[in-house]
Amino acid sequence: MLEAAGIRATSQRLLVLDVLAAHRLPVSAQRVHAELHDRGENIGLTTVYRALSSMTEAGLLHVFIHAGEAVYRLCGTAGHHHLVCRVCGLVAERQEENVVDGFRAEEVYGVCAACESGQRSARATDPIDT
Ligand SMILES: [Zn+2]
Ligand SMILES: [Zn+2]
């Protein structure tokens, strides 16, 4: 997957991808770092940041802002835009073009069905990542 995106599959990038693939919601660099640390991986936060930004530049990850911090998501096919829940941070991919008055939307922020119906998400009750 990394090589298809034109970047080298270093062990650090694979570790970071592994964490992202295990999450339904986008995760912050600090969270990725903390989980790798818990697994006993000796990887620095700076290395995690570098891996995330190089994979984002390669188009493999998409970055969102949730609760004031950058969170990363392993996205699927190219050429999609996103619906982002501003409450829990859930991201849904949409394939069809979303053009309004000649303006192509990349991210549409709103509230997902679960949050709308008042179900509190795990993310919303989690302590904020530190
Ligand atoms: Zn995406
Ligand atoms: Zn939500």
Side-chain angles (χ1 to χ4, degrees), residues 11 21 26-27 40 50 81 83 103:
S11 58
V27 287
R50 274 205 218 102
H81 65 275
L83 304 179
F103 197 97

Side-chain angles (χ1 to χ4, degrees), residues 62-111:
H62 283 149
V63 60
F64 304 90
I65 302 298
H66 182 67
E69 69 179 350
V71 290
Y72 298 83
R73 181 178 193 270
L74 180 56
C75 275
T77 50
H80 57 266
H81 65 275
H82 309 96
L83 304 179
V84 186
C85 176
R86 67 169 80 253
V87 180
C88 69
L90 181 71
V91 173
E93 290 178 25
R94 297 292 295 269
Q95 297 302 327
E96 67 273 23
E97 284 275 293
N98 187 6
V99 180
V100 180
D101 293 339
F103 197 97
R104 188 171 60 83
E106 292 177 340
E107 261 85 68
V108 178
Y109 283 82
V111 179

